[in-house]
Amino acid sequence: MAQVRIEPWHEDDLDLLRQLNSPDTRRHTGGPETDEQVLARHDRYVHFAEGGQGCMFTVVLPNGARAGSVGYWAREWRDQPVYELGWAVLPAYRRQGLATAAVRAALDVVRARRDRRYAHAYPSVDNPASNAVCRKAGFILLGETDFEYPPGHLMRANDWQLDLTAPPADGS
């Protein structure tokens, strides 16, 4: 399995966020944002953990290269408190298992919190790569759902659920 570490999002990660804002990387999540939106997102990411409701991380390779992002945040889903996970990997680093490794690392952080039973991810039904990450990370597909992302935009997504009290996926 790919080796990565995750580090809390830092002020120095703005360039990474700008790289992740490409049409290719954002095609399943509403398209690229304006620079003003990217700056606001960066500020949210930097200060996100302070509220205690989640954290955004930078995906870091053994050589120190910054390859993407992964994060979790608290939300209500169908009248139940859950964590939602999201991730993105730069095109040059795709198809190497980095997203799955990063999601597993974020799930370890979420499990350690011991304050919610389930984590969910909602990739577009048209995003085979992110759906594969969910499967490989141990999520169970509950089915399709309408999901609002970005705000004001309804998308058709798969609802993937992971029981945080179950042992982590075995890496297959």
Side-chain angles (χ1 to χ4, degrees), residues 40-58:
R41 178 181 296 276
H42 175 65
D43 187 63
R44 284 193 313 273
Y45 284 7
V46 167
H47 299 288
F48 193 34
E50 295 167 7
Q53 294 297 301
C55 189
M56 288 304 296
F57 300 95
T58 304

Side-chain angles (χ1 to χ4, degrees), residues 92-150:
Y93 298 105
R94 292 184 189 153
R95 296 181 186 13
Q96 299 175 39
L98 302 179
T100 302
V103 167
R104 287 182 177 150
L107 286 167
D108 288 344
V109 173
V110 171
R111 278 189 183 91
R113 294 182 65 119
R114 300 182 192 271
D115 62 351
R116 296 206 174 8
R117 170 91 190 259
Y118 295 107
H120 283 256
Y122 310 96
S124 166
V125 296
D126 298 323
N127 187 340
S130 282
N131 283 286
V133 167
C134 291
R135 186 181 67 257
K136 291 174 187 175
F139 286 80
I140 303 298
L141 179 60
L142 299 182
E144 292 185 14
T145 189
D146 289 325
F147 192 77
E148 186 178 10
Y149 190 83

Side-chain angles (χ1 to χ4, degrees), residues 11 13 16-17 23 39 76 80 86 102 127-128 130 139 146 150 155:
E11 284 288 345
D13 292 323
L16 172 62
L17 191 59
L39 290 170
E76 292 286 321
Q80 185 175 24
N127 187 340
S130 282
F139 286 80
D146 289 325
M155 64 182 265

Side-chain angles (χ1 to χ4, degrees), residues 64-85:
R66 290 167 133 49
S69 65
V70 65
Y72 71 93
W73 48 94
R75 70 168 297 140
E76 292 286 321
W77 181 247
R78 300 194 170 138
D79 298 322
Q80 185 175 24
V82 301
Y83 283 114
E84 179 180 346
L85 274 81

